[in-house]
Amino acid sequence: MMRKLRSHQIGLDQGSEPMFSDFDTDGPMWAGDGPREVRRRVTFDTPFKDPPAVLTALAMVDLAAGANHRVDLSHDAVDAQGFDLVFRTWGDTRVARVRADWSAIGAMPDDDDWDL
Protein backbone atom coordinates (compact mmCIF):
# COMPACT_ATOMS: atom_id res chain seq x y z
CA MET A 1 0.00 0.00 0.00
CA MET A 2 1.44 3.37 -1.04
CA ARG A 3 1.30 6.08 1.63
CA LYS A 4 1.66 9.75 0.80
CA LEU A 5 3.03 11.74 3.70
CA ARG A 6 1.58 15.24 3.66
CA SER A 7 3.94 16.77 6.12
CA HIS A 8 7.31 18.43 5.90
CA GLN A 9 8.07 16.89 9.30
CA ILE A 10 8.81 13.19 8.90
CA GLY A 11 9.83 11.12 11.91
CA LEU A 12 11.81 7.89 12.04
CA ASP A 13 11.92 5.89 15.27
CA GLN A 14 13.89 2.63 15.65
CA GLY A 15 14.57 0.09 18.33
CA SER A 16 15.53 -3.41 19.34
CA GLU A 17 13.26 -5.36 21.67
CA PRO A 18 14.06 -8.59 23.55
CA MET A 19 10.82 -10.58 23.16
CA PHE A 20 11.51 -13.36 25.66
CA SER A 21 14.14 -15.72 27.10
CA ASP A 22 12.36 -18.96 28.00
CA PHE A 23 15.14 -21.58 28.05
CA ASP A 24 16.40 -20.80 31.55
CA THR A 25 12.90 -20.89 33.12
CA ASP A 26 11.37 -23.67 30.97
CA GLY A 27 8.86 -21.10 29.72
CA PRO A 28 6.19 -22.00 27.15
CA MET A 29 8.23 -21.09 24.07
CA TRP A 30 10.96 -23.51 25.16
CA ALA A 31 9.06 -26.27 27.00
CA GLY A 32 5.60 -26.03 25.40
CA ASP A 33 4.21 -27.32 22.14
CA GLY A 34 1.37 -26.40 19.80
CA PRO A 35 0.43 -22.81 18.97
CA ARG A 36 2.19 -20.21 21.13
CA GLU A 37 2.35 -16.43 20.97
CA VAL A 38 4.22 -13.60 22.73
CA ARG A 39 3.23 -9.92 22.38
CA ARG A 40 5.29 -6.92 23.46
CA ARG A 41 3.97 -3.36 23.32
CA VAL A 42 6.42 -0.82 21.87
CA THR A 43 5.88 2.86 22.68
CA PHE A 44 7.40 5.48 20.39
CA ASP A 45 9.75 8.08 21.89
CA THR A 46 7.48 10.79 20.45
CA PRO A 47 3.97 10.09 19.13
CA PHE A 48 3.43 10.38 15.38
CA LYS A 49 0.66 12.50 13.87
CA ASP A 50 -1.05 9.37 12.47
CA PRO A 51 -0.23 5.65 12.63
CA PRO A 52 3.18 5.27 10.96
CA ALA A 53 4.46 2.56 8.63
CA VAL A 54 6.19 -0.11 10.74
CA LEU A 55 8.83 -2.63 9.66
CA THR A 56 9.89 -5.54 11.86
CA ALA A 57 12.72 -8.06 11.55
CA LEU A 58 14.24 -10.89 13.57
CA ALA A 59 17.52 -9.63 14.99
CA MET A 60 18.31 -12.82 16.93
CA VAL A 61 16.58 -16.17 17.27
CA ASP A 62 17.89 -19.14 19.30
CA LEU A 63 16.20 -22.43 18.36
CA ALA A 64 16.66 -26.00 19.56
CA ALA A 65 17.95 -28.58 17.11
CA GLY A 66 15.92 -31.69 16.34
CA ALA A 67 12.61 -30.09 15.33
CA ASN A 68 11.34 -27.97 12.48
CA HIS A 69 12.06 -24.26 12.86
CA ARG A 70 8.67 -22.54 12.74
CA VAL A 71 8.78 -18.80 13.47
CA ASP A 72 6.56 -15.87 12.58
CA LEU A 73 7.32 -12.26 13.57
CA SER A 74 4.78 -9.56 12.78
CA HIS A 75 3.25 -6.40 14.23
CA ASP A 76 -0.29 -5.45 15.15
CA ALA A 77 -2.36 -2.66 16.74
CA VAL A 78 -0.32 0.17 15.20
CA ASP A 79 -1.38 3.62 16.37
CA ALA A 80 0.29 7.02 16.68
CA GLN A 81 1.71 6.10 20.13
CA GLY A 82 3.10 2.60 19.41
CA PHE A 83 2.41 -0.95 18.25
CA ASP A 84 2.53 -4.60 19.34
CA LEU A 85 5.37 -6.88 18.28
CA VAL A 86 3.97 -10.40 17.82
CA PHE A 87 6.07 -13.58 17.77
CA ARG A 88 4.42 -16.95 17.05
CA THR A 89 5.52 -20.54 16.78
CA TRP A 90 3.71 -23.89 16.63
CA GLY A 91 4.17 -27.64 16.60
CA ASP A 92 7.20 -29.02 18.43
CA THR A 93 9.46 -26.02 17.73
CA ARG A 94 11.47 -25.01 20.80
CA VAL A 95 12.48 -21.35 20.92
CA ALA A 96 14.97 -20.32 23.60
CA ARG A 97 14.98 -16.57 22.97
CA VAL A 98 14.13 -13.91 20.40
CA ARG A 99 15.08 -10.28 19.81
CA ALA A 100 13.23 -8.16 17.24
CA ASP A 101 14.36 -4.95 15.53
CA TRP A 102 11.84 -2.42 14.29
CA SER A 103 11.55 0.89 12.44
CA ALA A 104 8.60 3.27 12.18
CA ILE A 105 8.32 6.18 9.74
CA GLY A 106 5.53 8.70 9.40
CA ALA A 107 4.33 12.27 9.65
CA MET A 108 5.01 14.13 12.87
CA PRO A 109 2.74 16.72 14.50
CA ASP A 110 3.58 20.30 13.55
CA ASP A 111 2.77 23.46 15.51
CA ASP A 112 1.43 24.92 12.25
CA ASP A 113 -1.18 22.13 11.87
CA TRP A 114 -4.70 23.38 12.47
CA ASP A 115 -7.69 21.31 13.49
CA LEU A 116 -10.80 22.88 11.99
Side-chain angles (χ1 to χ4, degrees), residues 62-82:
D62 184 1
L63 299 160
N68 289 324
H69 295 168
R70 302 172 187 95
V71 297
D72 176 26
L73 177 69
S74 62
H75 55 275
D76 191 20
V78 179
D79 60 35
Q81 289 75 38

Side-chain angles (χ1 to χ4, degrees), residues 39-104:
R39 288 179 171 260
R40 291 284 177 258
R41 184 72 182 168
V42 172
T43 302
F44 300 128
D45 289 338
T46 301
F48 287 86
K49 180 178 179 179
D50 301 304
V54 175
L55 302 169
T56 55
L58 283 170
M60 185 274 299
V61 61
D62 184 1
L63 299 160
N68 289 324
H69 295 168
R70 302 172 187 95
V71 297
D72 176 26
L73 177 69
S74 62
H75 55 275
D76 191 20
V78 179
D79 60 35
Q81 289 75 38
F83 67 97
D84 292 344
L85 279 168
V86 183
F87 180 85
R88 294 180 180 101
T89 191
W90 57 96
D92 61 348
T93 300
R94 293 176 42 167
V95 186
R97 57 188 158 212
V98 166
R99 187 178 69 243
D101 285 354
W102 59 269
S103 297

